[in-house]
Amino acid sequence: MHVVVIGAGVVGVTSAWYLNKDGHQVTVLEAREGPGLETSYGNAGGVCPGFAGPWAAPGMPLKVLKWLASPNPPLKWRPRADLDQWRWLAAFLANCTAPRFARNKARMQRMAHFSKAELVALRAETGIRYDHASGGVLQIFCTPEEMEGGVRSAKVLRELGVAHRLLAPADALTIEPGLAASGVALSGALQLPTDEVGDCHLFCQELTRLAQERGCDFRFGTSVERILVAGGRAAGVATATGPIAADAVVVATGPFAPALLRPLGIRVPIYPVKGYSLTVPIADLEAAPRFSVMDEHSKVMISRLGGRLRAAGVAELAGFDRRMPPAVLDGLRARVAALFPGAADYGQARFWHGFRPMMPDGPSRVGATRFDNLFLNVGHGSNGWTQACGTGRVLADLVAGRAPSVPAA
């Protein structure tokens, strides 16, 4: 069967990989000049099943209101005359209840842990290298309230059977000695020893190369103008250079999926939530984090990717606003420098921004549409790198008519 995959971010590339393994003829169409150049390019690098969960949670509305008065809040809301933004916010608030949070978190946890196992299997099968490390992730807390939240998180992790350790401040410094030079006082930490870190963009490049060697056709610089429908089925896609026929079409375009699907009468409530990152060469290996640190206070994740330091955070609800406000960049840089002083020459940092394809409830959408040969693999939010191998495998199962190993939403 000829399957066209639209999008070559980490979700599109992994979807193509598993479809190709199933024996399909796969064509991947990507508007950018290479793989992984949008949301997958500059993320924090964490493959973190332990953190997988919805942003819509009990208490979140109150936190957002408090953050509105902060000069550098982890979440910024810029109200717009945009019906999609207000619909998304209404749905987000509706999901901030304990029962919905529990259901959505359980769904995301199942997919995340399945995906981690698939990534490990793919790595063993191919020998793919992408500056990955398997030393775990340390979530640090700076206030008693944050530590109390860590205790609640540990209870959920224990119920889900996820390996973890609650740590006193001194024990956290033993695991990440680079924090000892920090002027930031810790109230404790939560260690997730089985989580990983790796360069998502490099992974996309390497898996694309491996898929091409297996016969997968990647066409970069090819924008899909619309999905073609005939007889109640997807017949292919229209591009600037002409139509491409297909037996099945997979949409894996992240935050850009709603615009592509809307003409077909398919509404997916994805909203682009902008995030920022910085990347800088490590100057002092002893002063840098060993693996990955999640700073709960600022919601910034700091990871070692080979010889580079990557820090990512901030969430802005402002549509596809591509501005890079200096105050946001300076705040991100200042927090990383405070936690790991001397690890790098932060004045040489390169900044980036991207758009997380956020669903209001949290879980991604994987499966068929009302056109039975038009499939979605979208809406991964901040968990695309963590869940890509799992949702790619599930997508291939559904295209083949098999029952997936993990229930798809």
Side-chain angles (χ1 to χ4, degrees), residues 166-182:
L166 278 170
L167 302 171
D171 296 323
L173 298 183
T174 300
I175 292 171
E176 279 292 358
L179 288 167
S182 170

Side-chain angles (χ1 to χ4, degrees), residues 49-97:
F51 285 139
W55 288 12
M60 181 57 75
L62 182 59
K63 284 184 180 180
V64 173
L65 288 175
K66 290 180 178 178
W67 286 334
L68 290 177
S70 172
N72 287 302
L75 189 148
K76 298 173 180 286
W77 171 40
R78 301 182 191 274
R80 297 164 57 93
D82 177 357
L83 187 57
D84 287 338
Q85 185 190 71
W86 291 95
R87 282 175 173 164
W88 189 92
L89 284 167
F92 178 85
L93 291 173
N95 278 280
C96 289
T97 65

Side-chain angles (χ1 to χ4, degrees), residues 117-138:
E118 288 296 312
L119 174 61
V120 171
L122 189 155
R123 196 162 63 222
E125 174 191 355
T126 65
I128 189 171
R129 301 178 68 85
Y130 48 94
D131 283 344
H132 67 277
S134 305
V137 173
L138 186 70

